[in-house]
Amino acid sequence: MEDNAPLVPEGAQVIEVRTAAIPHVVPTLRTIVADIAMRQDFDLDAVEDLRMAVDEACSLLLPASADGKLTCVFSWNGPRIEVSVSVLSDTPDHEDDSGLSWQLLTALATSAQRTVTPEDGHYLSRVDLVRESQAASS
């Protein structure tokens, strides 16, 4: 993985997908996260929440892609799944974090964070989200 890749917890399993930053790939990313969640015994509501969270993260970042590429990293270890979606953009600007998409994303995930960092004359715009299984907290 690249230097700008998200930190992955020790012992976690990882899938990294690099693809075109087009809406047609989002259903595939949603399917990957749903499959991971089902294999980790997440309940059906949590699986659907993760699918929608990935969809929202992608919809926030797709319009900003300067090079037409999107990277999505899925990592999981037991009852915790982490997803990082990133694109390289021309500007550090991004949608207002008080917008409906961001509020929906934060409601669907246990935690969510958006970062923009300078990189080689561009900006790496990334959304990191975490979803923990309810079974882990009971």
Side-chain angles (χ1 to χ4, degrees):
M1 287 194 275
E2 299 174 353
D3 291 340
N4 61 21
L7 294 175
V8 176
E10 188 174 325
Q13 296 184 47
V14 179
I15 295 174
E16 180 174 349
V17 178
R18 294 177 189 216
T19 186
I22 55 175
H24 302 301
V25 301
V26 176
T28 302
L29 300 175
R30 289 169 42 107
T31 300
I32 291 169
V33 78
D35 183 68
I36 292 167
M38 286 187 283
R39 291 173 189 268
Q40 295 306 112
D41 291 326
F42 278 57
D43 63 48
L44 292 177
D45 288 336
V47 171
E48 190 56 32
D49 287 352
L50 268 167
R51 290 170 64 90
M52 290 189 298
V54 167
D55 191 78
E56 289 301 322
C58 290
S59 70
L60 285 169
L61 295 176
L62 285 175
S65 179
D67 62 357
K69 296 177 185 174
L70 177 131
T71 301
C72 191
V73 178
F74 305 93
S75 63
W76 66 98
N77 191 356
R80 180 182 175 97
I81 296 175
E82 298 181 24
V83 181
S84 177
V85 182
S86 61
V87 297
L88 206 55
S89 60
D90 287 329
T91 67
D93 301 332
H94 57 79
E95 265 190 42
D96 182 14
D97 287 347
S98 65
L100 182 60
S101 287
W102 183 254
Q103 294 205 9
L104 181 58
L105 179 70
T106 57
L108 295 168
T110 304
S111 67
Q113 179 179 2
R114 181 148 185 190
T115 57
V116 178
T117 54
E119 182 171 307
D120 298 330
H122 293 283
Y123 298 89
L124 181 68
S125 185
R126 182 164 69 204
V127 172
D128 296 304
L129 61 97
V130 173
R131 178 65 193 232
E132 295 178 350
S133 170
Q134 295 298 327
S137 60
S138 13

